[in-house]
Amino acid sequence: MPPASASTPAPSTTVGMEPALAARSRSQSLWVMAVLATLMAFGSISTDLYLPAMPQMARDLGAGTGVMEFTISGYLVGFSLGQLLWGAVSDRVGRRWPIAIGILLFILGSAGCAMAATAPQVVGWRVVQAIGACAGVVLSRAMVRDLFPREQAAQKLSMLIVIMAAAPLVGPLVGGQLLVIASWHWIFWLLVAIGLVTLVALFTVPETLAPAQRDADAVRRAIGRYGELLRDRRIIASAGIGGFFYAGAFAYIAGTPFAFITYYHVPPRLYALLFGAAILGIMAVNLLNARLAPRFGSGRLLRWGAGLAAVTGIAAAITAATGWGGLAGLAVPLLLFCALNGLIVANSLAAALSAWPERAGAASALVGAIHYGSGIVGSALLGVLADGTPWPLGLIVALGGLGSLACTRLLPR
């Protein structure tokens, strides 16, 4: 992407934190990046672990068709709104303590899901779980921007996404195996344990936002600042491209357990392998993005990703409507669509954060809220349109890809 115009705010001096990280031993630096990757993974593991259990949960809780999809939508409501809070708070007090409080909420919400007796209770506790989980996700991204300039941030974000992809890759496999030896409740108790371990690890990581760089009025002025950010065309473009993609991606997450397991009679353990194939695709494309971003620019790669998302989304809609190719005919375009996460998410975040580097926490929170807020629309629309066939899933994925492509028109050349 061409350099920003002269009106672009000057880069934040928090980039000076990079030498501090580099000065540490290689093992310490890798440990910091590993903890950040774990925090970023909270958004994935909160859902991916229990995906294979959704049909069983629906039976045990007496939930009707489409109801369990709202456990995804409820989670995304908390995840989207929570980011707006955590971003402003972190710009005022630093990154680490807001993350710690978020992890405690994540633990509480996970325990509530484990003890829930009805589907509405699960939805409610999922909101609490999400408000906590999003703190680690949004603020770990801001911490990366604290440490690195734009192109390096895009590269590091891609690498972190690859590392954290082990969680959703392993998650459905672990969830499927737990269903063999125990009930779905133990999936949420496992999330409680993961939260406790991560909370301890968090306090081995240094604070990345120096006191001199904090904004004492960040919380009070948060609404006004979000409004200011929303008037920036670069923010709108970045958020829109990623948002439409997330609408399709979360329709995939909410819809494939029923499309694959219920409609095509795929065993839960085999479903985990199909889901894992999508994660491998995400990892591969993120690695590719990390190599190509310095050469071609993250803006160009973002456009390419949106175009391919439109093509694969249309293919998924056609096969879902016609049944052509059976399970493989539906799964292949869906897996390719998901893999494009590697070209869209990191580059859209890097574009947004580079526009306002001195407000990385607020910008990351706002864009993340729009991304996951779009996921609410995708998963909720799937619940509303659910008819027992894969067609609603294919339709929403296609609309997501086309929307991403349309939003590239707003990107500055």
Side-chain angles (χ1 to χ4, degrees), residues 369-409:
I370 294 173
H371 282 183
Y372 284 92
S374 301
I376 296 171
V377 176
S379 57
L381 187 59
L382 183 66
V384 171
L385 298 178
D387 61 0
T389 75
W391 162 240
L393 170 60
L395 174 63
I396 296 169
V397 169
L399 292 175
L402 290 169
S404 290
L405 180 60
C407 287
T408 60
R409 303 284 295 179

Side-chain angles (χ1 to χ4, degrees), residues 81-95:
L81 297 179
Q83 291 187 67
L84 298 176
L85 167 67
W86 297 122
V89 169
S90 77
D91 283 342
R92 185 182 190 279
V93 304
R95 313 300 189 199

Side-chain angles (χ1 to χ4, degrees), residues 51-52 169 172-177 179-180 252 256-257 260-261 264-278 327-328 331 335:
L51 286 178
L169 180 62
L173 292 171
V174 173
Q177 290 300 318
L179 288 177
V180 175
Y252 169 88
T256 51
F260 292 170
I261 297 174
Y264 281 112
H265 308 293
V266 173
R269 281 178 289 181
L270 180 56
Y271 169 79
L273 295 178
L274 286 172
F275 194 85
L327 173 63
L335 296 179

Side-chain angles (χ1 to χ4, degrees), residues 49-142:
L49 270 172
Y50 88 98
L51 286 178
M54 285 179 68
Q56 181 180 322
M57 290 176 66
R59 291 191 296 269
D60 292 351
L61 299 173
T65 301
V67 173
M68 291 308 299
E69 278 87 346
F70 289 110
T71 65
I72 305 291
S73 302
Y75 180 87
L76 293 175
V77 168
F79 206 93
S80 300
L81 297 179
Q83 291 187 67
L84 298 176
L85 167 67
W86 297 122
V89 169
S90 77
D91 283 342
R92 185 182 190 279
V93 304
R95 313 300 189 199
R96 198 163 60 174
W97 275 107
I99 293 175
I101 296 170
I103 293 175
L104 291 173
L105 288 174
F106 171 82
I107 293 169
L108 176 63
S110 299
C113 289
M115 297 183 289
T118 66
Q121 288 178 11
V122 174
V123 174
W125 284 114
R126 287 276 288 164
V127 173
V128 176
Q129 185 189 49
I131 292 173
C134 71
V137 176
V138 69
L139 298 186
S140 62
R141 296 196 302 247

Side-chain angles (χ1 to χ4, degrees), residues 151-162 282-298 301 342-343 346-347:
E151 298 303 336
Q152 284 182 281
Q155 190 176 35
K156 296 297 182 182
L157 282 167
S158 279
M159 293 304 298
L160 285 178
I161 291 171
V162 171
I282 292 173
M283 294 172 67
V285 178
N286 268 287
L287 285 172
L288 180 65
N289 183 69
R291 293 178 64 88
L292 296 181
R295 179 178 177 184
F296 293 102
S298 58
L301 295 175
L343 290 179
N347 291 319

